[in-house]
Amino acid sequence: QVQLVESGGGLVQAGDSLRLSCAASGRPFSSYTMAWFRQAPGKEREFVAAISWSGDSTYYADSLKGRFTISRDNAKNTGYLQMDSLKPEDTAVYYCAATTFGPTVAQVYYGHWGQGTQVTVSS
């Protein structure tokens, strides 16, 4: 089992940047594909980005390509989501998730989730 804890959320203005972190403990973090999802108020949780266990492959929601960057440091058991040029519509709770499958946008394959961190972008 791996436990995930997100941090780095907060209140920012439109156009600002923010970096979220996902600290993993338990089983070796390098065993897992890692992903970020988000859930805005009144909406379903949606895929943001995923990264392979080695970090060699990354995947993004089409609407977020170019503004968000996913990365990981297996030596630190930590994953990251760099968010640039933030918009009010990026306001959501952001969740880190892990799976032993390869990178996928399907939430059902992710068996490990963090508690989420709130990101609020004001206009």
Side-chain angles (χ1 to χ4, degrees):
Q1 291 284 347
V2 63
Q3 292 78 44
L4 305 172
V5 178
E6 303 94 334
S7 62
L11 173 63
V12 297
Q13 294 186 334
D16 286 349
S17 296
L18 205 58
R19 188 177 80 158
L20 305 182
S21 298
C22 174
S25 60
R27 285 188 62 185
F29 184 54
S30 58
S31 301
Y32 295 88
T33 291
M34 191 198 78
W36 290 92
F37 292 81
R38 70 182 184 182
Q39 187 167 21
K43 296 186 177 181
E44 294 185 352
R45 189 162 57 187
E46 64 177 359
F47 172 78
V48 173
I51 187 168
S52 62
W53 67 269
S54 65
D56 290 344
S57 299
T58 57
Y59 305 85
Y60 296 92
D62 288 342
S63 62
L64 300 176
K65 287 180 181 178
R67 292 197 300 121
F68 287 18
T69 304
I70 190 171
S71 62
R72 66 190 297 161
D73 185 340
N74 287 338
K76 295 183 178 180
N77 291 325
T78 303
Y80 304 98
L81 183 68
Q82 176 68 40
M83 304 184 293
D84 298 320
S85 303
L86 283 162
K87 304 175 181 180
E89 51 263 43
D90 295 319
T91 295
V93 177
Y94 284 72
Y95 296 91
C96 173
T99 179
T100 54
F101 292 95
T104 173
V105 304
Q107 299 181 42
V108 66
Y109 289 104
Y110 291 88
H112 308 280
W113 294 83
Q115 83 289 349
T117 186
Q118 176 71 47
V119 172
T120 303
V121 184
S122 64
S123 58

